[in-house]
């Protein structure tokens, strides 16, 4: 038995009373936020007066993605071994997804205390919640295929890896929102020089500043999806 859509949407609702607990869920991100200073006017971080390199943010995203993937894999192994039901698997995936989405939102906006004082806090959490519920509806749809026998164990294992990569597109979407909130109107997009690129991403690169809405969001409309390593700068 799989969850109903009402149950899925309830699990995907981010409640104020959950935020403080979820904000503690990643010691590595919490340490980064404690040691760094967020500047809402630039959307960037400094530490000891120096700008935090973008590579450090990328490493945090990679760590959180891998952490989420491991939790998904553990839940999937338990289900495939008959230790849990499909509904329990779905609830576990939903809970881990919510935690990860909250952590990424806090990383974009400087932590819970700063985000709570942000005049657009309600809109920010609304966007994260909408993205989370869309993510969980996809999981629910896949669960139905599993229940009917249309998907194999191997396909289920591949699917959870794909869903864990949703962290990067979420980060990119929220960074764009933060940039617009800071008054930025232009952006440019670069390829990661150390990565292999899909056929689409080179066509999205923009060396000159263009209106923000002309930039294709990272992880969208490309074969990379959640593996995309392109970078967007704003001004």
């Amino acid at each position: 038995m799989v969850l109903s859509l009402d149950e899925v949407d309830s699990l995907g609702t981010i409640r104020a009373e959950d935020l403080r607990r979820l904000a503690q869920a990643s010691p590595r991100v919490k340490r980064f936020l404690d040691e760094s200073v967020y500047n809402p006017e630039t959307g960037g971080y400094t530490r000891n007066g120096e700008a935090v390199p973008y590579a450090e943010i990328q490493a945090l995203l990679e760590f959180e993605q891998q952490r989420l993937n491991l939790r998904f894999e553990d839940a999937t192994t338990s289900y495939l071994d008959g230790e849990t039901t499909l509904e329990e698997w779905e609830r576990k995936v939903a809970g881990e997804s919510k935690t990860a989405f909250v952590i990424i939102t806090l990383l974009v906006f400087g932590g819970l205390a700063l985000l709570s004082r942000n005049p657009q806090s309600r809109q920010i959490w609304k966007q994260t919640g909408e993205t989370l519920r869309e993510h969980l509806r996809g999981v629910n749809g896949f669960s139905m295929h599993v229940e009917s026998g249309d998907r194999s164990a191997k396909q289920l294992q591949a699917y959870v890896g794909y869903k864990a990569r949703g962290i990067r597109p979420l980060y990119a979407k929220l960074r764009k929102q933060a940039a617009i909130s800071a008054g930025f109107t232009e952006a440019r997009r670069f390829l990661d020089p150390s990565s292999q690129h899909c056929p689409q991403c080179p066509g999205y690169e923009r060396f000159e500043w263009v209106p923000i809405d002309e930039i294709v969001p990272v992880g969208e409309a490309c074969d990379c999806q959640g593996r995309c390593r392109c970078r967007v700068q704003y001004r």
Side-chain angles (χ1 to χ4, degrees):
M1 183 175 179
V2 302
L3 298 175
S4 68
L5 279 180
D6 285 344
E7 290 174 305
V8 169
D9 286 345
S10 177
L11 290 170
T13 300
I14 299 172
R15 297 175 174 83
E17 58 267 27
D18 296 331
L19 289 178
R20 191 167 299 279
R21 172 179 57 83
L22 296 178
Q24 309 296 317
S26 173
R28 184 165 174 175
V29 171
K30 183 180 183 303
R31 183 169 61 253
F32 172 85
L33 292 172
D34 289 343
E35 295 175 351
S36 307
V37 178
Y38 177 74
N39 184 346
E41 295 183 0
T42 65
Y45 287 91
T46 60
R47 188 183 302 118
N48 300 323
E50 300 289 336
V52 173
Y54 181 69
E56 190 170 336
I57 304 294
Q58 286 278 58
L60 283 173
L61 290 174
E62 186 72 29
F63 175 80
E64 290 304 318
Q65 179 179 306
Q66 291 177 357
R67 195 167 74 102
L68 182 60
N69 189 54
L70 286 173
R71 282 166 169 66
F72 282 178
E73 287 179 350
D74 287 345
T76 302
T77 299
S78 294
Y79 167 67
L80 294 176
D81 287 346
E83 297 172 0
T84 57
T85 65
L86 186 58
E87 180 181 341
E88 289 170 331
W89 172 85
E90 199 174 345
R91 289 184 183 278
K92 179 68 173 176
V93 168
E96 296 293 352
S97 297
K98 179 189 285 190
T99 300
F101 276 46
V102 167
I103 289 169
I104 296 305
T105 304
L106 296 179
L107 179 62
V108 173
F109 291 97
L112 186 57
L114 273 179
L115 182 50
S116 298
R117 296 195 295 270
N118 190 313
Q120 297 192 24
S121 175
R122 186 180 297 274
Q123 182 61 32
I124 291 165
W125 286 119
K126 179 181 178 182
Q127 180 168 349
T128 298
E130 289 173 351
T131 305
L132 174 61
R133 286 188 289 277
E134 181 182 354
H135 169 91
L136 295 183
R137 286 171 187 164
V139 172
N140 182 251
F142 196 89
S143 297
M144 293 180 184
H145 286 295
V146 173
E147 185 178 44
S148 66
D150 292 340
R151 296 292 184 271
S152 66
K154 186 174 182 179
Q155 287 174 311
L156 178 58
Q157 290 166 329
Y159 180 74
V160 294
Y162 159 73
K163 294 303 281 187
R165 293 192 291 273
I167 278 180
R168 285 182 179 276
L170 172 67
Y171 176 82
K173 183 183 294 186
L174 291 173
R175 277 287 296 121
K176 178 180 177 180
Q177 185 176 349
I180 293 173
S181 298
F184 295 162
T185 59
E186 295 181 316
R188 52 186 182 178
R189 174 170 167 161
F190 303 100
L191 297 170
D192 183 340
S194 64
S195 299
Q196 292 184 332
H197 312 296
C198 73
Q200 295 83 28
C201 281
Y204 300 149
E205 192 167 33
R206 296 291 183 272
F207 294 105
E208 302 297 328
W209 294 101
V210 299
I212 284 180
D213 286 339
E214 290 186 17
I215 297 293
V216 176
V218 172
E220 294 186 16
C222 66
D223 292 345
C224 306
Q225 298 183 342
R227 293 185 295 268
C228 191
R229 296 294 188 272
C230 291
R231 178 183 180 185
V232 177
Q233 291 181 334
Y234 298 97
R235 73 171 186 182

